[in-house]
Amino acid sequence: MKNAIALMITLFFVMALSISIGLGLKYVKEGAQSVNQEQFLIQTRSVLADFLTMLRKTPQITSINSADTLSLFLSEASLIPLSSNGVNVIIKISSARDKISPEIFNTKEKRDAFLAFLSAKGVNADYLNILDDMMGGIKEDGSYKSDIFTNRPNLFRNYIASKKQLEVADKFYTETFHEQSLKNIMPTEVFYTSAESNATNYKMDLNHIKPIAWEMILGCDKQRAETLSANAGYYANTNDLGLSADENLSLMRFHQNISYYEPFIAVEIIIMKDNEKALISFEYNLESKKGSNFVLEV
């Protein structure tokens, strides 16, 4: 029954979205007879505006208010391809709380867990020092733990605000230690990067975190992590996880930063027309109906 409801939610949403975006692109095509690139930028803004309107006004989206309805929606609507008036649109939707915030390693227990994870993946402890520097603010006395700011004095250092900023840290580590171990943890895939990553309010959704996040939290092997990830979607509490006593103790180290339902989705919209391509990404709060962390790349 729940699967059928989720499918109907998705079908109505996709149908309404197709009509809305199609009409929007039609009006843009009729009204913008200027340079192709200008028209493409207008179309890009039109797609974003129509999509945000659909998220705010579609009744089916309002019915997503629990772990199971969110999981079912994401399983059905993770990839939505659309095409209208010569413009191809690909919409990807996922949980916006499926990663770990690097800000959460703020206690000895959490740091020890992360260091053990790094060691298991062949990454030395200096990587945590680099992350600490990038999240520790400006130190007037220059008491940084690494040399990352020596040649990058203007690098933002209050928190890791973007994927590109994290890539700078990863490149510095790789070049400094002349090895490729970071590929074993894929930082840009496992770490959440934005202002909302602050450890005091960030919670990862255990129904959507990636297997490698389970490896870090529990200190388990890849197979166990993949099993926990595969069975996710309907976890409501710790009992549903079926953890061992040791795994429960490991999870409790992160009790302030775990949740079983977080109403945030990550949206990525790829828009293509002829030789033009745009990428829009943002987060959307299903409860407040507000978007944040908008990024546009053309």
Side-chain angles (χ1 to χ4, degrees):
M1 183 63 180
K2 288 182 178 180
N3 282 316
I5 293 173
L7 182 58
M8 289 300 293
I9 289 173
T10 306
L11 287 175
F12 280 120
F13 177 65
V14 173
M15 288 172 61
L17 187 61
S18 299
I19 294 171
S20 177
I21 288 180
L23 288 173
L25 290 175
K26 178 182 178 182
Y27 295 145
V28 169
K29 183 177 181 180
E30 292 174 351
Q33 302 296 331
S34 56
V35 180
N36 287 340
Q37 188 175 27
E38 291 181 12
Q39 183 179 357
F40 180 69
L41 290 173
I42 295 172
Q43 289 171 323
T44 297
R45 291 194 293 269
S46 173
V47 169
L48 176 59
D50 289 340
F51 186 77
L52 287 172
T53 298
M54 293 301 302
L55 286 175
R56 286 193 295 266
K57 295 185 176 182
T58 304
Q60 289 78 20
I61 299 300
T62 305
S63 66
I64 301 172
N65 55 15
S66 64
D68 54 355
T69 53
L70 176 60
S71 295
L72 287 166
F73 175 73
L74 292 179
S75 69
E76 298 291 343
S78 60
L79 181 66
I80 304 173
L82 303 170
S83 181
S84 180
N85 292 288
V87 180
N88 294 313
V89 180
I90 299 174
I91 300 172
K92 299 179 182 180
I93 307 175
S94 62
S95 167
R97 296 296 180 266
D98 61 352
K99 297 180 179 181
I100 299 170
S101 166
E103 290 270 359
I104 72 172
F105 305 118
N106 57 353
T107 68
K108 183 180 185 304
E109 292 77 13
K110 293 176 184 177
R111 291 175 70 83
D112 286 346
F114 186 52
L115 288 171
F117 169 73
L118 292 179
S119 178
K121 297 296 183 180
V123 182
N124 69 56
D126 291 284
Y127 185 64
L128 180 53
N129 291 336
I130 296 170
L131 295 182
D132 284 340
D133 284 345
M134 294 185 68
M135 298 182 293
I138 297 175
K139 299 184 184 299
E140 298 296 340
D141 61 358
S143 57
Y144 298 107
K145 299 177 181 179
S146 73
D147 296 325
I148 190 167
F149 301 125
T150 300
N151 295 318
R152 304 166 182 82
N154 297 320
L155 189 63
F156 186 67
R157 58 192 78 177
N158 287 337
Y159 54 84
I160 299 178
S162 68
K163 180 179 178 180
K164 289 186 177 180
Q165 185 185 359
L166 182 59
E167 288 173 344
V168 171
D170 296 351
K171 182 179 180 181
F172 173 75
Y173 173 89
T174 299
E175 292 178 346
T176 300
F177 297 99
H178 308 289
E179 44 97 345
Q180 303 291 323
S181 61
L182 284 184
K183 67 182 180 182
N184 297 328
I185 65 172
M186 299 177 293
T188 56
E189 292 298 314
V190 74
F191 287 135
Y192 177 80
T193 55
S194 87
E196 283 77 9
S197 67
N198 187 284
T200 60
N201 57 24
Y202 180 84
K203 292 183 182 294
M204 53 190 135
D205 191 332
L206 296 188
N207 278 296
H208 299 287
I209 59 172
K210 302 174 186 298
I212 196 165
W214 280 114
E215 288 188 59
M216 194 285 296
I217 296 170
L218 299 184
C220 62
D221 61 24
K222 183 178 180 180
Q223 183 176 0
R224 174 62 172 148
E226 289 178 345
T227 298
L228 286 164
S229 182
N231 293 333
Y234 304 96
Y235 296 145
N237 52 55
T238 306
N239 292 333
D240 292 340
L241 298 172
L243 302 180
S244 68
D246 287 342
E247 288 173 337
N248 263 314
L249 287 174
S250 296
L251 182 65
M252 285 305 98
R253 292 178 295 193
F254 297 92
H255 68 94
Q256 294 178 328
N257 302 108
I258 62 173
S259 172
Y260 298 91
Y261 172 63
E262 289 296 307
F264 301 91
I265 57 173
V267 179
E268 183 178 288
I269 305 175
I270 302 170
I271 306 168
M272 296 170 288
K273 179 183 180 182
D274 300 326
N275 295 323
E276 302 285 351
K277 181 178 180 180
L279 172 63
I280 303 170
S281 61
F282 63 94
E283 289 186 19
Y284 186 79
N285 186 326
L286 294 167
E287 292 184 347
S288 69
K289 297 184 179 181
K290 294 181 179 179
S292 63
N293 300 326
F294 287 87
V295 176
L296 170 61
E297 300 176 9
V298 179

